[in-house]
Amino acid sequence: MHLLTLAIAALTAIVVAAVLSRRTGIATPLVLLVVGIVFSLVPATPEFELEPDWILLGALPPLLYATAVQVPVIDLRRSFGMITWLSVTLVVVSALAVGAVVHLVVPEVSFAAGVALGAVVSPTDAVAATAIGKRLGLPHRLMTVLEGESLLNDASALVVLRTALLAITAGFSLGDAVLDFVRAVALAALVGYVVGHATVWLRSRLDDPVLTTAVSFIVPFLAFLPAEEAEASGVVAVVVAGLVAGHHGARRFSARERLTERTNWLTLQFLVENGVFLLMGLQLESLLRDLDDSSSTPQEVLGIAALVLALLLVLRVGFVGVEILGERRQQPRLDAMRRRLDQISDRVDSMADQGGPRIDSPRGQQRMSQFRRRVARGRADVAYQASEPVTARGGAVLSWAGMRGVVTLAAALTIPPEVEERTLLVTVAFVVAVVSLLVYGGTLPLLIRRLGVSGVDPDRERAEVAELFGDITTTAAAALGPLDQIVIDGQPIDRDLAEQQLAWLERVEEHRAGGTPEALTQQAQRLLLHREFISLMREALHEERAIGAYSTGALARASSMIDAQELRLDR
C-alpha cells in the first residue's frame, strides 16, 4: 500500500509538473528535478535509493528506443559526421581530460578513477534540451544533432567507464581498449540490426495494433540484453533496432498500428523520462548523508564540480567550433560535387535519349532508374548541407545545450565500493548533472531567443508540403497504369469510375452504397481503387524519403495526411 501511494503521488507530480511546464515555459524535467530536491530535504520524506540497474537496464533501453524510432535515418546519416564527433571523440577526450585534471587537483584520486568520473559526466542528456528546442522551434538539423548525440554518447561513455574501472583493478592497455570498443560497437550494431528486422517482420504479420504495440515494448530489451551478455554495447544495439523499426515501420505497418504504437510509446516515454528526473532529485538527501560519512567536504565537492563543468564547457565549445569551421571549408567540395552530379545526370539523360538494346531492355531501364535515384539523392544531400548549415549562432546553442542527466548519476553509482574516494566521485557527478540541468536548461530558452535561432518558416513549410503531396499523388497515379487496364486483387476497375476517383487526390469522400447490386459493386471498386492508390502514394512517399529532397517536416506532414485517408477508409 505504501509503494502504491508513492507511485500515485509520483504520477500526480509528473502530470502537475507537465501542466505547469506548458504554462511557464520551463521544461518538465527541470520542474521535477527541483520538486525532487525540495522533497528530499523534507524530514518526513522516506529515503530513496536509486539502483543503477533501474536506469541502465530498466529505463535506458525503452527511452533510447522511443527516441530512435522517431529519428529519420536520412537526417542521421547527413549529420553523422558531427554526431560521431560529439558523441564519440568528444566523450573520449572529455573523459581523459577530466581524469587528468581531477588527478592533478586531488592526488588521492588516481588517474583511472578520474577517467571513470570523466566517462560518467561526459555524455549529454538531450531530454530537457529537445523539449525546449521543440517548443521554441530550433532548426531541424540542430535537433537532429542533439538527439543523435544523446543516442550514441551513452554507449561511448559506458565503454570508457568499463575500461577505466578495469584499469583500476587489472591494468590498462590502449590496444586492448580500442579493440574492445570496436568489437563492442560492431557486435551491438549487428545484434540491433537483426532484432530490428526480425521484430518488424513479426509485427507486420500480426495485423493487430494492440499486439503490434505489445511486441514493440519488448524490442528494446530483446536488443539490449543479448548484446550485454555478449559483452557488446547494449545501448548501440537498442539504437540500431529503433532506427530499423522506425525506418521500415513507416512502410510495413498500417496507419492504425503506427498511430496506436506512437500514442502508447509517447505515454510510456513521458512517464519514464520524467519519473527518473523526479527520482534523481530525491537522491540529494542520501548523497549528502554519504558525504558526511566520508572525508570529503561540501566545499571540496563544489570546487571540483565547478572545475569539471568549466572544463566540459570549454571542450564542448571547442569541438563544436572545430566542426563549424570544417563545414565552412567544405563549401568548395560541395560545389564540385554539385557540378559532378550535373555531369552524371546529363550523361544518363544522353544515354537514355540515344537508346539501344542495352538501354531499352528491362535490366537497362532498371539500371538507368537506379542511376537517376542515386543522382537525385546526391543532389538532395548537397542541397541539405547548403540549406541547413550549423552557423555560429546555432553552434552557441549546441554548445550550451550540453546538459547532463540521470544516466550520469546511474553510471556513477556503478563505480564499485573498493574504488578509493568513491563517495567524492559520485557526489561530484550528481552536482555536475544537477547544476548543468538547472543552469543550462534554465537559461537555454533565453539564449535561443536572444540569438534569434529559429527553424522553418510555416508558410514555406506549407508550400513544401503541397508540392510534395502533388509529387507523390502524380507518381501514384502513374503507377496505376492505363485507366482502362487497372486490375486490383483480380477485380477489373471501371474506367469512368477510376477517372472519377482519381479526382480526389487530397481528401477522401465518403461513399455510401445505395443497396442495389450495381451500387454495391461500384462501392467495392471504389474502396479497392482508393486503397491501392493510398498504397502507391505511401510507396512514392517512401521513395521521396529515401532520396531526401524534401524536409523531414514536410515528409512527416504528408505521411500524416495519407494516414488520415487510410484511417477514414478503415472506418
Side-chain angles (χ1 to χ4, degrees), residues 47-66:
E47 296 183 3
F48 289 90
E49 292 293 335
L50 179 63
E51 293 291 336
D53 287 349
W54 292 0
I55 305 300
L56 299 179
L57 299 181
L60 187 59
L63 288 180
L64 289 173
Y65 180 84

Side-chain angles (χ1 to χ4, degrees), residues 382-401:
V382 172
Y384 178 85
Q385 297 292 340
S387 63
E388 292 207 30
V390 179
T391 62
R393 294 182 179 184
V397 173
L398 199 60
S399 300
W400 199 249

Side-chain angles (χ1 to χ4, degrees), residues 384-452:
Y384 178 85
Q385 297 292 340
S387 63
E388 292 207 30
V390 179
T391 62
R393 294 182 179 184
V397 173
L398 199 60
S399 300
W400 199 249
M403 290 168 270
R404 273 65 188 173
V406 71
V407 174
T408 289
L409 179 58
L413 292 175
T414 63
I415 298 176
E418 55 268 21
V419 175
E420 296 183 9
E421 304 294 335
R422 177 184 184 273
T423 301
L424 174 64
L425 299 179
V426 174
T427 310
V428 168
F430 178 82
V431 173
V432 168
V434 170
V435 172
S436 66
L437 280 168
L438 295 178
V439 173
Y440 295 160
T443 57
L444 185 60
L446 178 62
L447 179 66
I448 293 174
R449 293 191 184 98
R450 286 288 180 89
L451 295 178

